[in-house]
């Protein structure tokens, strides 16, 4: 495998402003997830630069990146990625624990967030005792734990039916209205329509980048 | 923060209870056997020392064999004078068998003098020990060990009874309290008679006399021993064999032997700790692999390398410490059983407990560091992709 060099992204250049709601679309294998991993500081570019809040991310070391992931970025995954043996509350507590937030404050924050996403009565349930939509809402609450500026969602509705998908999406829109920068990956144009900007990738290149200033939810 | 790692690790351990238990079995066996063996060794040593001490640590033994066999009393007088000896008694022993109602009983006749009860710290349960008059008058009287009454006189009071030795009737005048076993046999099956009488009775055979000598003080044992040896070197013909050693020398030899045996056994037992450690490492590697996705998630949520490392290291230490505690419990049970079922008292010292627990923690740290480090080095993207 390592013998062939795959350029998942090549010659991409764009800027995302604070408070934007961006959808990244494109066919399978076009490099969407790769882009999101770079934006989320899970991966670093092999060539080129990535600036987040005026900071050159490729010059940061692992510890700094962990810190950025912890406080500046919230991830929402297609497969939820909740820890199965932990309750909803405990899952939301994880990023707060790594941020060394004091125990009492931690619990308060996590409970408030779960209430905010409509799971105030499901805090002590484990993921297996929750529906897909509920699990995704737990993961949104977890993404919000340290009040990050950016929410990165890779196919957040991919594992949900269209109705619960819509619920999750309107939750993300709400967060955007509260000032969060939302970057959502999807290959469903109906979902991308919720965003105010659509970046279309194809074969690792930006095919189009369009803003919909007048579009409103 | 540490509390959180602990609770995460604790949770992971308790969610795989049977696995954790099986994993730590090597540590359980290792810790329990090391503790038990060390405690057993220490208790045996203490017991042996106590027994020897009760006889007296200012005691010196001088054994003289053929062709001399006996030290003339003029020599003994000179030794007593020059070497600061408090008391001494010669002792010559011969086994004699008695057939009572068809049952053969072996008794050891000990020829001693009137100071033997002092040098061997004998206590009398009835009657009296041989005195100077008995020795000088050569009257056939005997003092018996605590088991002789049962073996030869059907449990009756032996005082006043007659005991025939080599055809000579001896009158029993006293009985000695229980002395127990030692390396030379059962001290309670001894019959004490006058040394000179014993020599006459058994003169037809070659013999060896052991002189029990006590120095005036415990501190002067070594100088007394040196002086006795020097005197014997000057008077004995060069071809004669004699051996002189002190109680504390025997004590020292016993000590060394016991320590050697204890550390040998503990060494063998610690191999199971090593095997246990390798088992831990193996399971921790499996755990890390199984939880690759969890590690990916944690890293995506902001866990630093050190935080992942600590989480898995603590998990390994919890498993081994748990094994150590179970092992400790088993060792306590073993010690209790041994103490209850035998007259051997095994006590587990606090230092042994601390040592064993520190050992089990170290095993967790040593064998957990590699898997934990492996976990901490996982790339978040790769780990998240892992199914
Ligand atoms: N670890 C990897 N090793 C080699 N190639 C990879 C690796 N990860 C991704 N790729 C390649 O990079 C390209 C982009 O992959 P990426 O996962 O970003 O696509 P995507 O747009 O998210 O697709 P999908 O919609 O199916 O999720 C693909 O050609 C893929 O095969
Ligand atoms: Mg993808």
């Amino acid at each position: 495998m390592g013998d062939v060099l795959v350029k998942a992204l090549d010659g991409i250049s764009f800027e995302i402003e604070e408070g934007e709601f961006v959808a990244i679309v494109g066919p399978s294998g076009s490099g969407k997830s790769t882009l999101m991993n770079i934006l989320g500081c899970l991966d670093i570019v092999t060539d080129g630069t990535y600036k987040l809040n005026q900071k050159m991310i490729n010059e940061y070391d692992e510890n700094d990146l962990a810190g950025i992931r912890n406080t500046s970025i919230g991830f929402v995954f297609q497969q939820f990625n909740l820890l199965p043996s932990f309750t909803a509350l405990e899952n939301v507590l994880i990023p707060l624990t790594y941020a060394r937030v004091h125990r009492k404050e931690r619990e308060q924050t996590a409970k408030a967030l779960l209430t905010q996403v409509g799971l105030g009565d499901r805090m002590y349930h484990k993921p297996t005792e929750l529906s897909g939509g509920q699990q995704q809402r737990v993961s949104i609450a977890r993404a919000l734990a340290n009040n990050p500026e950016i929410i990165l969602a890779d196919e957040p509705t991919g594992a949900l039916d269209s109705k619960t998908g819509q619920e999750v999406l309107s939750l993300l829109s709400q967060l955007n209205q509260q000032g969060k920068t939302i970057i959502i990956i999807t290959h469903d144009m109906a979902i991308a329509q919720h965003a105010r900007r659509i970046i279309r990738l194809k074969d690792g290149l930006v095919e189009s980048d369009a803003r919909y200033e007048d579009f409103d939810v | 923060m540490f509390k959180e790692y602990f609770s995460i690790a604790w949770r992971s351990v308790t969610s795989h209870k049977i696995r954790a238990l099986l994993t730590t079995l090597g540590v359980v066996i290792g810790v329990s056997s090391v503790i038990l063996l060390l405690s057993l060794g220490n208790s045996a040593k203490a017991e042996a020392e106590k027994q020897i001490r009760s006889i007296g640590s200012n005691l010196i033994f001088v054994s003289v064999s053929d062709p001399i066999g006996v030290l003339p009393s003029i020599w003994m007088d000179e030794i007593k004078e020059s070497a600061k000896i408090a008391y001494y008694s010669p002792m010559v022993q011969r086994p004699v068998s008695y057939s009572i109602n068809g049952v053969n009983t072996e008794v050891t006749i000990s020829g001693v003098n009137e100071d033997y009860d002092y040098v061997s710290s004998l206590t009398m349960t009835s009657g009296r020990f041989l005195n100077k008059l008995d020795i000088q008058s050569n009257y056939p009287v005997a003092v018996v060990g605590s088991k002789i009454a049962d073996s030869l006189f059907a449990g009756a009071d032996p005082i006043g009874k007659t005991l025939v030795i080599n055809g000579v009737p001896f009158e029993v005048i006293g009985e000695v309290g229980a002395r127990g076993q030692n390396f030379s046999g059962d001290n309670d099956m001894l019959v004490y008679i006058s040394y000179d009488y014993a020599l006459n009775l058994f003169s037809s055979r070659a013999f060896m006399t052991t002189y029990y000598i006590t120095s005036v003080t415990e501190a002067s044992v070594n100088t007394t021993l040196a002086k006795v040896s020097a005197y014997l070197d000057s008077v004995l013909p060069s071809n004669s064999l004699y051996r002189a050693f002190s109680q504390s020398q025997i004590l020292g030899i016993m000590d060394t032997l016991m320590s050697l045996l204890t550390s040998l056994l503990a060494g063998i037992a610690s191999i199971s700790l090593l095997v246990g450690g390798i088992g831990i490492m193996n399971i921790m590697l499996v755990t890390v692999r199984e939880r690759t996705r969890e590690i990916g998630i944690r890293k995506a949520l902001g866990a630093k390398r050190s935080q992942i490392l600590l989480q898995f290291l603590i998990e390994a230490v919890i498993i081994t410490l748990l094994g150590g505690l179970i092992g400790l419990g088993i060792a306590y049970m073993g010690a209790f059983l041994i103490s209850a079922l035998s007259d051997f008292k095994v006590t587990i010292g606090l230092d042994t407990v601390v040592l064993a627990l520190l050992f089990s923690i170290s095993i967790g740290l040593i064998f957990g560091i590699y898997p934990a480090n492996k976990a901490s080095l996982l790339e978040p993207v790769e780990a998240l992709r892992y199914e």
Side-chain angles (χ1 to χ4, degrees), chain A residues 86-147:
Chain A
F86 287 59
T87 63
L89 182 63
E90 288 166 336
N91 268 287
V92 178
L93 283 170
I94 297 169
L96 291 157
T97 308
Y98 289 131
R100 296 169 183 272
V101 176
H102 196 268
R103 208 182 80 97
K104 237 176 152 177
E105 197 187 326
R106 219 158 58 204
E107 300 244 327
Q108 268 173 11
T109 309
K111 283 178 180 169
L113 286 169
L114 281 166
T115 313
Q116 192 191 327
V117 300
L119 291 173
D121 55 344
R122 293 280 195 285
M123 293 196 284
Y124 300 102
H125 286 59
K126 291 195 172 166
T128 46
E129 299 155 2
L130 296 170
S131 74
Q134 288 170 333
Q135 288 185 58
Q136 197 58 301
R137 279 188 278 159
V138 173
S139 79
I140 290 172
R142 185 180 65 182
L144 291 169
N146 286 319
N147 198 21

Side-chain angles (χ1 to χ4, degrees), chain B residues 265-283:
Chain B
L265 290 172
I268 292 168
S270 34
I271 291 174
S272 69
L273 276 177
L274 192 76
V275 173
I278 293 167
I280 302 283
M281 183 153 87
N282 188 34
I283 285 294

